[in-house]
Amino acid sequence: MSNSIPFNLDPPGTYLYTGQMATKGFKLTRFGLSLRDPANRERFLKDEAAYMREAGLNEEEIRLVLARDWTGLIEAGGHLQAMLKVAATVGQNLWHIGAHNAGMEVEELMRICPRTVSALPEGEK
Amino acid sequence: MSNSIPFNLDPPGTYLYTGQMATKGFKLTRFGLSLRDPANRERFLKDEAAYMREAGLNEEEIRLVLARDWTGLIEAGGHLQAMLKVAATVGQNLWHIGAHNAGMEVEELMRICPRTVSALPEGEK
Amino acid sequence: MARIVGGFGISHTPSMGLEYDKGLAQGFSPRWQKWYDGTRGVKAWLERAAPDRMIIVYNDHLNHFDFSAYPTMAIGVAPEFRQADEGWGLRPFPSLVGDVDLGWHLTEKLVRGGYDLTVCQDLAVDHGIYSWLPYLMDLPWTIPVVPVAINMVRHPIPTSERLHQFGKDIRRAIDSFPGEDRIVVVGTGGMSHQISGARFGIANETLDHYFLEKLKDETEELVAIPQEELMRLGGTEAAELAIWFSMRGALSDKVKEVHRYYTFPAITGCGVVVYEEPA
Amino acid sequence: MARIVGGFGISHTPSMGLEYDKGLAQGFSPRWQKWYDGTRGVKAWLERAAPDRMIIVYNDHLNHFDFSAYPTMAIGVAPEFRQADEGWGLRPFPSLVGDVDLGWHLTEKLVRGGYDLTVCQDLAVDHGIYSWLPYLMDLPWTIPVVPVAINMVRHPIPTSERLHQFGKDIRRAIDSFPGEDRIVVVGTGGMSHQISGARFGIANETLDHYFLEKLKDETEELVAIPQEELMRLGGTEAAELAIWFSMRGALSDKVKEVHRYYTFPAITGCGVVVYEEPA
Ligand SMILES: [Fe+3]
Ligand SMILES: [Fe+3]
């Protein structure tokens, strides 16, 4: 297995998005998705904290966004697709999120991707 | 069978709300439901035709609303529940819609309701 | 393991709620007084049953959802469910307390079991629940609820067979819900009535009594009645009776009927029946 | 009677669409050029197949729906479906033409047949469809489409068995659709990839080839693989492969594979396979 990618669904390798996560991150996800609207993107960029407070985020969630702590945001229940809207709005992209999640620099991650593994369902070869 | 109520689902006795009706009356229904919001009710009452034009209704639909032609509106695909919001906004209620549908005065309809019938599924007595 | 201790089927109509508010303020009309009196036994039973959680299968009337996206089956999973403004302002009642834990548990079991639920983390509830809850449960409302909304406003609607099976699968899902909680399942939908077309006001009390009589032990016979037949005889809105099958399906064969009442105050058959599981 | 003339399964990713736009404007990157070349056979087949209508089973990525009401299965029934703004503006493509007649026909058959579809009369479509349609079909887009969106963004998602059966039931529904129309069914979902967590970028080409190899004749074997296993080996987004089963289920046992291509340009397995029904 290259890059020692584990074949399991446990964090920090994988954050499975479940109902419990959706409850925990409801406001965070809603906030991220609000940035699908160009007018909201503009308002957010003018004053990030104010926009988030209005969206009902708590101080910890606001801190995570301001710090671009993508891993913390995903752990807090922000759905990846919603956090991706936040990243895009602040001039980052999926690679920034991935690099933060994988604990490496963007360039390093881009260099090692695709991270080839080779395995088939049990009983197959 | 009292009031000669027919045991079938054909118009004008019954207007079954199907997908085709929902397509035909999409804007009309959407307009009616917009009046669930008090602010919209106010705007509508200020200038009914203008509000409806903004909601994308065509001239015939606007005419039907202005005429409180509840039967015509239902035939045009306006869902009863949505037309009920229109009625409530203009100071009418379910009885006005029912009386218009049944072709009688409100008082007359109220007097004969409940319009008792007695029948069981086929094969039962 | 959690268990279902009983359930009830009950009609709902906007007037049922509005007349109650009016009655509290300025005295009840005799037509409606009967209904509120007739449901007191349900309230007493509910206090005895002492549920820790409730599942309410009901239907929305275009008061929350609209046709941009109208779900055939939607489950509410949120800490609270506010009251929907039906177009004439809010009634003086608080939000429902939502049951997030049971909501996700049911979602998991039912979606993986073949129900294509739309999961609502934000849901406003209309007279489908608000028209009867205020006189069946004292304030403050503390028992957490999982509301399940079934499409009854546009055809096609789900079949009676499916709604009955849905109840059975709710029961199976409860079997694997951890803890010792007592759960009550409610099914609510109008009995005979029709509120549009020239057949406005049709009232088939015979049909409603027949339904209440057979629901407990001759369920399959009722389920087999084509929904068209229910609408033909009892008015289009009588199709909502199919929702009661979910409640019935969630209960066992051994239930005892502990309360039943029926009246026809104005343009809708108003009925209720309560079933209790053996201890 | 209408009939299904074939179908295809295809990956989708946002970059697949964005790289295409960039490529048109300033030349294609070699990584992506391969993919656009590899899909030319699909375009040629589609022209030969000359469908009158198309059914596309895909998934939304929180670009239209949100968690206030996220459907497990939603069907679009409207005259047109606009493109969703995914957060970085619209791409220069028109709306899809919607197939209202087939949409309601499928809704009727499928809801009455036990699928709890959320019916969307207003629906914006994201890269689930827009990332591949522009290079498989010349403008103007005139073939009316019924889009069906499957939840893949939050667990629980529907089982592979159900999605496979869903395809079979689409086929049955088509059998009763009047006319002589030719219908193509598409299933689109990512192949191996994972775009969050420390496993970001996982690429299991072995798994993807295995899937493409078995989909036609050893469908049941693939359907039996737990979705957890697909995610464990191919990344969480590999669960979207289950959507391909709906396409496969809608086709007969007699289909011929007429095109297949696979590459791995960046962080997602990009594959396509086309099946044609015998004439
Ligand atoms: Fe109702
Ligand atoms: Fe996808």
Side-chain angles (χ1 to χ4, degrees), chain D residues 79-277:
Chain D
E80 68 170 298
F81 303 106
R82 62 194 195 285
Q83 187 190 153
D85 185 338
E86 305 203 9
W88 35 84
L90 293 175
R91 296 171 51 214
F93 294 100
S95 293
L96 306 180
V97 178
D99 192 335
V100 171
D101 292 336
L102 182 57
W104 285 124
H105 177 81
L106 288 174
T107 299
E108 176 70 29
K109 295 297 170 187
L110 292 168
V111 168
R112 298 301 287 180
Y115 293 91
D116 315 305
L117 302 174
T118 285
V119 182
C120 300
Q121 292 188 246
D122 183 22
L123 174 69
V125 169
D126 73 358
H127 71 266
I129 294 178
Y130 271 88
S131 69
W132 49 264
L133 196 64
Y135 41 93
L136 295 192
M137 211 179 259
D138 290 328
L139 292 172
W141 292 335
T142 53
I143 302 170
V145 165
V146 180
V148 179
I150 308 294
N151 167 39
M152 287 286 151
V153 298
R154 185 199 54 220
H155 293 271
I157 61 176
T159 63
S160 295
E161 289 77 7
R162 183 154 179 88
L163 290 169
H164 189 217
Q165 186 61 44
F166 183 61
K168 294 183 187 177
D169 287 326
I170 285 176
R171 184 176 186 86
R172 275 192 14 197
I174 294 298
D175 282 345
S176 64
F177 187 66
E180 300 290 317
D181 284 354
R182 301 165 62 81
I183 295 173
V184 160
V185 180
V186 183
T188 177
M191 303 199 78
S192 80
H193 70 304
Q194 179 163 325
I195 54 175
S196 68
R199 297 209 311 165
F200 182 100
I202 186 173
N204 192 338
E205 303 191 36
T206 315
L207 178 70
D208 290 343
H209 282 294
Y210 167 88
F211 186 90
L212 290 171
E213 181 62 33
K214 299 215 171 220
L215 184 61
K216 185 162 88 68
D217 294 323
E218 290 152 278
T219 324
E220 303 291 348
E221 195 180 316
L222 292 182
V223 168
I225 300 171
Q227 289 169 336
E228 275 223 338
E229 186 79 352
L230 288 178
M231 294 192 286
R232 216 169 57 77
L233 302 174
T236 41
E237 276 66 59
E240 293 182 14
L241 281 170
I243 293 175
W244 296 43
F245 297 138
S246 291
M247 178 278 292
R248 183 64 193 93
L251 304 184
S252 79
D253 288 347
K254 305 195 197 77
V255 288
K256 216 175 75 185
E257 182 177 320
V258 294
H259 185 80
R260 189 200 302 188
Y261 184 73
Y262 181 83
T263 183
F264 204 109
I267 44 172
T268 50
C270 291
V272 65
V273 64
V274 183
Y275 300 133
E276 185 176 274
E277 294 285 357

Side-chain angles (χ1 to χ4, degrees), chain B residues 81, chain C residues 12-13 59 61 127-128 189-190 193 237 240:
Chain B
Q81 297 290 353
Chain C
H12 62 238
T13 87
N59 66 301
H61 306 76
H127 71 266
H193 68 306
E237 275 66 58
E240 293 184 14

Side-chain angles (χ1 to χ4, degrees), chain D residues 26-43:
Chain D
Q26 59 198 59
F28 290 91
S29 85
R31 289 180 168 209
W32 282 102
Q33 180 73 57
K34 284 198 270 185
W35 170 247
Y36 304 117
D37 290 348
T39 58
R40 274 187 205 152
V42 190
K43 182 168 189 283

Side-chain angles (χ1 to χ4, degrees), chain C residues 9-210:
Chain C
I10 189 166
S11 309
H12 62 238
T13 87
S15 41
M16 203 183 255
L18 299 172
E19 289 286 338
Y20 179 72
D21 298 348
K22 218 198 286 178
L24 282 185
Q26 59 200 56
F28 291 91
S29 85
R31 290 180 166 208
W32 282 101
Q33 180 74 57
K34 283 199 270 183
W35 170 246
Y36 305 117
D37 289 349
T39 58
R40 273 187 207 151
V42 189
K43 182 168 190 282
W45 175 80
L46 204 48
E47 277 156 17
R48 259 190 350 262
D52 300 295
R53 306 165 188 268
M54 283 173 71
I55 300 167
I56 306 178
V57 188
Y58 78 112
N59 66 301
D60 169 76
H61 306 76
L62 285 169
N63 285 313
H64 174 68
F65 302 107
D66 62 43
F67 288 149
S68 63
Y70 209 90
T72 295
M73 282 197 188
I75 185 167
V77 187
E80 67 171 298
F81 304 106
R82 62 193 193 286
Q83 186 190 155
D85 185 338
E86 304 203 9
W88 36 84
L90 293 174
R91 296 171 52 214
F93 294 100
S95 294
L96 307 180
V97 178
D99 191 334
V100 171
D101 291 336
L102 182 57
W104 285 124
H105 177 81
L106 289 175
T107 299
E108 176 71 29
K109 296 295 171 188
L110 293 168
V111 169
R112 298 300 288 179
Y115 293 91
D116 315 305
L117 303 174
T118 285
V119 182
C120 301
Q121 292 188 245
D122 184 20
L123 173 69
V125 169
D126 75 359
H127 71 266
I129 295 179
Y130 271 88
S131 69
W132 48 264
L133 197 63
Y135 41 92
L136 295 193
M137 211 180 260
D138 290 327
L139 291 171
W141 293 335
T142 53
I143 302 168
V145 165
V146 179
V148 179
I150 309 294
N151 167 38
M152 288 284 152
V153 297
R154 184 199 55 220
H155 293 271
I157 62 175
T159 63
S160 295
E161 289 77 8
R162 184 155 179 86
L163 290 169
H164 189 216
Q165 185 60 45
F166 183 61
K168 294 182 187 177
D169 287 325
I170 286 176
R171 184 177 185 85
R172 278 196 9 201
I174 294 297
D175 281 346
S176 63
F177 188 67
E180 300 289 317
D181 284 353
R182 300 166 62 81
I183 295 172
V184 159
V185 179
V186 183
T188 176
M191 303 199 78
S192 80
H193 68 306
Q194 178 163 325
I195 54 175
S196 68
R199 298 209 309 165
F200 183 101
I202 187 174
N204 191 339
E205 303 191 35
T206 315
L207 178 71
D208 291 344
H209 282 293
Y210 167 89

